[in-house]
Amino acid sequence: MKKLALLVSLMLLCAPVQAELPKTVATELVQADVPLSGVSIYVQAVDKQAPSLSHNADKGMNPASVMKMVTTNAALDLLTPAYRWKTELYHDGQIKDGVLNGNLIIKGYGDPSFKVQDFWRLLMSLKQAGVKKINGDLLIDKSYFANDIDNGISFDDEKWRAYNAKPSAFSVNGRSTSFRFFAGDNGISVNQEFELPEVTIVNNMKLVDGDCGNWRGRMSYDIQTNEPKAVVSFKGTYAADCGERYLELSLFDDAQYAYFTFKKLWRELGGTFDGKLQLQSVPSTAIKLLEQVSEPLGSNVRDINKWSNNLMARQLLLTLGAEKSGAPATMQKGAAAINNWLAMNGFNFKELVIENGSGLSRVERISAEHLGKMLVRTYLSPVMPEYMASMPILSLDGTVKHRLQDSAVNGRAHLKTGSINGVSSIAGYVLSASGHRYVMVMLVNHPNAGASRDAQDALVEWVYRLP
């Protein structure tokens, strides 16, 4: 302990900028073996002009998922919290006696929250419009977004993981298959949460005693695809203490997943369809049947920020691009929309780099100071209620549910976290014990960044005790 205290003292004496850090934060960074050069911090009261704490704050850093705070903030301002996405249904034939002699056409506009239940509602409306049988194919129009938006590049080697799913103008469930693991009396069961007949599960999981811990690290999966089927094999151990857990995998591309889901739902609704899948734009002669709209953006940003949904954030950036520069949407158009929005608000973030708006990136950059100033500005803006409500509440929900649960700051902070290899970040608003609201940003870029969580928590508690 004396050695640690000496190290902290030397660290605080060696460079003037290091003396700005609270001792509790510096101590935790030493224990995590994270140098101060890899840490950027900015703290400012929302009713003050100058920061209470600034350390390396002008340095461009990788924010990981904290970048979603920029994307969602710009979207709430530019699109308004009431903005809704539409999904349109067309046909190119004739409807007579409940039979559509022609193709059914779906045109998507990038709804990031379009789930199975929304698809069911759309098809129920189709049935209520008098269609029971479709003598044609299913056509999907995805032209609102540009083709090959991400150049087919995954963030990492985990190509089957749902977070690597590509954006699409028509995406159902984020084309994610959710596998439910459950420890029961007869062993481990593995099932699809929404069961597609095209997926076969091979369960070789074994039930063991002990704590749940890193349950995913004790199991593996193998995926074999042979269109239109996918066989998913699981093997490893699963502790009874784990109870119910979920793993999201993306087994099919966006159009395939939508097609398989359509066939299942339409059959369950009593409809008849034996057609194929086609990808093409809505023909000029097509007749519009109906239109369905999403929940408002004010609701969608909660899913994006509280649960750090990467695909939804990317869809949102593309929506910004299409709305401000026209379809087809590209990431570049979305980034330009955000930069123009910042300029309109008097900001010049020269270090800012936006690749996809989700933070699932090795190149995205922002400084703690600029992110902090943006948060101060937003607190004083009309969209503050929706924006703050979208962030996880410390100790209560989202990605910070299990942090600082025994601390006095429990429930008094709205904080977004971010984490990828070599990056750990946290930012948002903290309500101090004295009743003042502070903006807090901490970005860590270092191979040991994952060990900086205690230092982040120490900073949250330090801000909580500010006057």
Side-chain angles (χ1 to χ4, degrees):
M1 198 68 185
K2 291 182 178 179
K3 184 177 180 181
L4 175 63
L6 179 60
L7 283 172
V8 173
S9 298
L10 289 172
M11 182 177 65
L12 294 173
L13 290 172
C14 285
V17 69
Q18 295 174 355
E20 300 170 354
L21 287 184
K23 289 183 179 180
T24 53
V25 177
T27 298
E28 294 295 349
L29 288 172
V30 169
Q31 289 183 327
D33 197 20
V34 174
L36 297 186
S37 60
V39 180
S40 181
I41 295 174
Y42 189 84
V43 177
Q44 180 180 333
V46 296
D47 57 351
K48 301 293 183 183
Q49 297 298 315
S52 303
L53 175 62
S54 179
H55 170 79
N56 285 339
D58 61 348
K59 184 178 180 180
M61 304 279 276
N62 188 325
S65 284
V66 163
M67 182 60 82
K68 293 180 177 71
M69 300 179 77
V70 179
T71 305
T72 53
N73 191 353
L76 284 169
D77 250 12
L78 293 173
L79 303 177
T80 79
Y83 178 87
R84 294 174 187 262
W85 287 263
K86 63 182 179 180
T87 301
E88 297 173 335
L89 215 53
Y90 295 80
H91 74 84
D92 61 2
Q94 292 183 335
I95 300 174
K96 184 178 181 180
D97 298 328
V99 179
L100 167 58
N101 289 302
N103 299 308
L104 181 69
I105 307 162
I106 301 175
K107 181 173 176 61
Y109 289 85
D111 182 356
S113 62
F114 194 87
K115 297 180 175 62
V116 169
Q117 53 266 40
D118 299 303
F119 210 170
W120 182 92
R121 186 161 56 93
L122 182 68
L123 296 181
M124 176 58 80
S125 297
L126 174 63
K127 188 176 180 183
Q128 291 172 343
V131 178
K132 297 179 181 178
K133 183 177 182 180
I134 301 169
N135 284 335
D137 293 336
L138 176 67
L139 276 58
I140 298 179
D141 182 344
K142 306 189 299 175
S143 61
Y144 195 66
F145 287 177
N147 292 326
D148 201 18
I149 295 165
D150 288 340
N151 298 316
I153 300 173
S154 297
F155 172 71
D156 54 24
D157 294 330
E158 295 281 353
K159 69 174 184 177
W160 301 108
R161 294 296 298 276
Y163 61 74
N164 268 323
K166 306 303 178 189
S168 171
F170 185 61
S171 178
V172 182
N173 261 6
R175 69 180 177 94
S176 172
T177 300
S178 184
F179 293 93
R180 175 183 179 269
F181 295 75
F182 182 74
D185 295 335
N186 298 320
I188 307 302
S189 64
V190 185
N191 302 291
Q192 299 176 65
E193 189 173 38
F194 173 71
E195 187 173 359
L196 289 175
E198 289 80 10
V199 178
T200 299
I201 297 173
V202 179
N203 179 9
N204 291 315
M205 298 293 294
K206 295 181 180 179
L207 182 65
V208 296
D209 295 326
D211 295 334
C212 187
N214 180 23
W215 70 278
R216 289 186 182 178
R218 297 195 297 268
M219 57 85 72
S220 63
Y221 59 86
D222 176 73
I223 299 171
Q224 299 294 326
T225 57
N226 184 13
E227 289 192 16
K229 303 289 185 178
V231 178
V232 187
S233 302
F234 296 99
K235 67 178 181 179
T237 60
Y238 189 87
D241 180 61
C242 291
E244 184 182 65
R245 301 282 168 151
Y246 289 86
L247 176 65
E248 284 74 37
L249 301 176
S250 188
L251 308 178
F252 307 107
D253 67 28
D254 54 345
Q256 286 176 314
Y257 189 92
Y259 176 60
F260 297 152
T261 303
F262 165 78
K263 290 196 298 180
K264 176 182 172 69
L265 294 177
W266 187 240
R267 183 175 60 251
E268 291 177 350
L269 285 169
T272 303
F273 172 81
D274 295 313
K276 299 178 182 179
L277 170 68
Q278 294 188 47
L279 300 180
Q280 67 174 68
S281 297
V282 176
S284 59
T285 56
I287 300 171
K288 187 173 180 180
L289 276 167
L290 55 94
E291 177 179 303
Q292 182 170 292
V293 296
S294 71
E295 290 296 312
L297 174 61
S299 297
N300 274 280
V301 292
R302 289 200 293 272
D303 286 336
I304 294 174
N305 285 334
K306 281 189 182 289
W307 304 108
S308 205
N309 192 301
N310 293 299
L311 182 57
M312 291 183 71
R314 293 156 93 174
Q315 301 260 138
L316 183 57
L317 182 69
L318 288 164
T319 299
L320 279 171
E323 288 287 350
K324 296 304 172 182
S325 298
T330 65
M331 295 296 183
Q332 292 77 17
K333 288 180 180 178
I338 290 180
N339 279 300
N340 291 337
W341 167 73
L342 289 169
M344 286 190 303
N345 286 285
F347 291 130
N348 181 17
F349 295 1
K350 292 183 178 180
E351 83 293 348
L352 180 66
V353 178
I354 299 174
E355 182 181 30
N356 56 47
S358 74
L360 195 68
S361 165
R362 290 294 174 191
V363 301
E364 291 196 324
R365 293 290 185 275
I366 193 170
S367 72
E369 178 182 11
H370 284 158
L371 181 57
K373 288 184 175 180
M374 184 200 78
L375 290 172
V376 170
R377 177 257 170 202
T378 306
Y379 187 79
L380 304 175
S381 78
V383 301
M384 181 275 285
E386 289 83 4
Y387 187 59
M388 183 177 289
S390 77
M391 298 178 198
I393 304 172
L394 184 63
S395 310
L396 299 182
D397 70 3
T399 57
V400 294
K401 182 176 181 178
H402 300 293
R403 295 179 70 160
L404 292 171
Q405 290 184 327
D406 297 325
S407 170
V409 73
N410 176 322
R412 295 177 65 91
H414 290 74
L415 298 166
K416 176 79 189 75
T417 59
S419 178
I420 57 178
N421 288 340
V423 179
S424 184
S425 54
I426 190 167
Y429 301 97
V430 179
L431 182 63
S432 73
S434 61
H436 292 88
R437 187 86 63 181
Y438 286 86
V439 162
M440 187 204 88
V441 181
M442 182 172 179
L443 311 176
V444 183
N445 287 191
H446 186 268
N448 295 332
S452 66
R453 174 170 160 164
D454 287 343
Q456 296 171 15
D457 289 350
L459 180 62
V460 174
E461 293 193 300
W462 180 82
V463 174
Y464 169 72
R465 292 190 294 268
L466 286 174

